[in-house]
Amino acid sequence: MAPLLGCIADDFTGGTDLAGMLVKAGMRTVQMIGVPTDPLPPGIDAVVIALKSRTNPVDEAVAESLAALRWLQKAGCRQFYFKYCSTFDSTPKGNIGPVAEALMTALDTDFTIACPAFPANKRTIYKGRLFVGDVPLDESSMQHHPLTPMTDANLVRVLQAQTKRKVGLVDYDVVHRGAAAIRARFSALKAEGIGFAVVDALSDDDLISIGAACAGLPLVTAGSGIALGLPQNFPELAASGSRAAALPPTGGLRAVVAGSCSTASLGQVAAMRAQHPAFTVDPLDLAKGADVVGAALAWAAPKLIDGPVLVYATANPAEVKAAQAALGVEKAGALVEDALAAIAKGLVALGVGRLIVAGGETSGAVVKALGVKGLRIGPEIDPGVPWTAALGGDRPLALALKSGNFGTPDFFLKAWDRL
Ligand code: ADP
């Protein structure tokens, strides 16, 4: 069976967030890193293509999004989902409006929704105004965002500044009456020539109603919240009875590679060091040209058989500052990322089949070095961090990519039991 839902996310972590939501809602989901070149593995219900199109020039964002759409169409997807941030991160130039408009044109449709609401994370929409916790968007910290400062909470106005199509509103008075009322309002707005309907939503129940009302719409544009409400529109999902988070069985040796210096990671590294062998990567050694990668792999090779090992550059703020003062911020970061990526590759060659990577940038470097093209999303270890099965590498690999402050202190100890 071809996948049902094809999603385009405007950044990587946004893609991960959406993929996790879809799995929870019962869809077997893969997240692809950039526009794929290979065909999709079988048995997938939803595909999320993660782009980096939130803040790049409009033309580039549109071109990449259209390329992603073409691949998803070719893969056989039936409905398409443009995922942006729950704080509607954009500027009057875009990229949400122009990308959504281009996708509508390509899909030959003249109506879609715009709904970044994510009540579980306290993003709600009322009368078209987006709230972050207790305050309107323009009073939240988003007003000071370096790239996409949000200075107006009225999403109808914000989106209208980015698009030639008319923007309207499905008010909460309609939304709380349920899916049929919402659908009727969609039809009325369409008849008025409205292209985008901003939809109010205060709760997960509202998202379920809105999702039901979106059945058959070629395109949905939203944060990840609406993902809760879409799977119900595909009866074949229930029929397949699949366990959405089940991964192919994985074995192999176990390792953790940590390049994150966030507070949570510092605690997690300390907890693992207390129980397992650990190797420190020092940026100053790397700068001197020492063969740190070779040393780390020679150290790990005999130990892996006895249990998980830890290789880490994780350091406290004073140590990081000292390395950055000696080498420069960028050089220190790049040296460490390159070394950890090479070590991860070497560990996989030594037989590691279950690998945890700590750090967002570090994960990007490791994924690239391993030639990973996509991630089949599996069971969650802690909120926002699932085990995944890597697609596109040389051999089967279970991968957990943990960004900075995620995870409990015993994350590196307990994660193995969740596979
Ligand atoms: P997080 O998700 O916590 O932000 P990242 O991997 O995105 O983690 O970023 C951490 C950055 O710090 C990376 O560029 C990494 O190479 C760098 N880094 C790691 N250890 C050190 C260190 N000891 N000194 C200086 N920089 C380091």
Side-chain angles (χ1 to χ4, degrees):
M1 192 177 78
L4 303 164
L5 190 62
C7 312
I8 302 165
D10 68 355
D11 89 336
F12 187 80
T13 48
T16 309
D17 172 22
L18 174 60
M21 293 286 287
L22 290 169
V23 171
K24 272 188 217 150
M27 300 186 101
R28 296 167 297 180
T29 305
V30 292
Q31 177 179 6
M32 307 303 292
I33 303 159
V35 181
T37 44
D38 303 333
L40 197 66
I44 300 298
D45 304 314
V47 187
V48 179
I49 297 182
L51 302 177
K52 274 190 185 168
S53 56
R54 183 167 296 168
T55 52
N56 60 351
V58 173
D59 293 352
E60 261 176 57
V62 166
E64 278 179 27
S65 305
L66 289 175
L69 176 68
R70 279 192 293 275
W71 189 89
L72 292 166
Q73 284 177 307
K74 240 182 162 168
C77 296
R78 276 192 246 160
Q79 189 174 42
F80 301 89
Y81 189 135
F82 171 38
K83 151 75 173 75
Y84 37 73
C85 190
S86 64
T87 42
F88 212 69
D89 301 19
S90 52
T91 70
K93 288 207 180 96
N95 292 342
I96 294 176
V99 168
E101 214 171 73
L103 294 173
M104 285 169 85
T105 305
L107 287 165
D108 198 20
T109 179
D110 55 6
F111 183 81
T112 185
I113 65 159
C115 184
F118 193 177
N121 282 2
K122 300 199 183 322
R123 269 60 156 170
T124 53
I125 307 172
Y126 186 67
K127 304 281 175 191
R129 269 73 172 178
L130 178 58
F131 287 81
V132 178
D134 296 329
V135 297
L137 178 65
D138 57 315
E139 293 175 29
S140 76
S141 62
M142 282 305 296
Q143 66 181 305
H144 303 303
H145 192 282
L147 301 176
T148 52
M150 301 303 289
T151 55
D152 186 359
N154 183 329
L155 295 182
V156 175
R157 226 162 26 213
V158 170
L159 183 54
Q160 191 64 80
Q162 300 178 26
T163 176
K164 289 189 275 301
R165 295 184 192 250
K166 273 169 71 181
V167 183
L169 175 67
V170 182
D171 189 282
Y172 196 70
D173 294 345
V174 172
V175 172
H176 87 103
R177 300 207 318 263
I182 299 169
R183 274 195 91 85
R185 182 77 181 135
F186 285 173
S187 302
L189 290 173
K190 255 175 97 164
E192 289 172 29
I194 299 284
F196 288 101
V198 171
V199 189
D200 281 354
L202 301 179
S203 67
D204 284 353
D205 285 346
D206 296 334
L207 296 179
I208 303 275
S209 303
I210 297 165
C214 289
L217 281 189
L219 178 69
V220 170
T221 89
S224 59
I226 289 290
L228 267 187
L230 292 181
Q232 62 184 323
N233 298 333
F234 300 107
E236 47 279 77
L237 278 178
S240 77
S242 62
R243 289 198 302 125
L247 292 182
T250 34
L253 304 170
R254 294 175 288 170
V256 177
V257 171
S260 161
C261 300
S262 302
T263 313
S265 302
L266 279 161
Q268 289 154 350
V269 163
M272 181 154 182
R273 273 180 49 184
Q275 294 191 24
H276 295 283
F279 183 98
T280 317
V281 171
D282 183 339
L284 298 174
D285 292 342
L286 293 168
K288 280 185 221 139
D291 180 18
V292 176
V293 174
L297 294 173
W299 167 88
K303 296 189 172 61
L304 282 164
I305 196 81
D306 298 323
V309 304
L310 167 66
V311 178
Y312 69 100
T314 307
N316 66 42
E319 293 167 315
V320 172
K321 267 224 170 81
Q324 289 175 337
L327 306 172
V329 174
E330 256 175 50
K331 180 155 181 223
L335 277 173
V336 171
E337 284 168 34
D338 290 350
L340 293 180
I343 291 168
K345 198 171 173 201
L347 289 169
V348 170
L350 287 172
V352 166
R354 289 167 283 175
L355 178 66
I356 300 174
V357 185
E361 296 298 326
T362 309
S363 293
V366 168
V367 155
K368 201 165 165 202
L370 291 173
V372 172
K373 301 285 196 292
L375 304 166
R376 166 86 189 267
I377 309 299
E380 203 166 59
I381 306 164
D382 269 329
V385 199
W387 273 112
T388 71
L391 308 179
D394 297 336
R395 55 182 91 192
L397 177 67
L399 206 49
L401 305 176
K402 187 199 82 75
S403 55
N405 271 321
F406 284 38
T408 57
D410 60 348
F411 186 91
F412 298 152
L413 305 173
K414 72 178 181 188
W416 317 109
D417 302 332
R418 306 301 312 275
L419 259 181

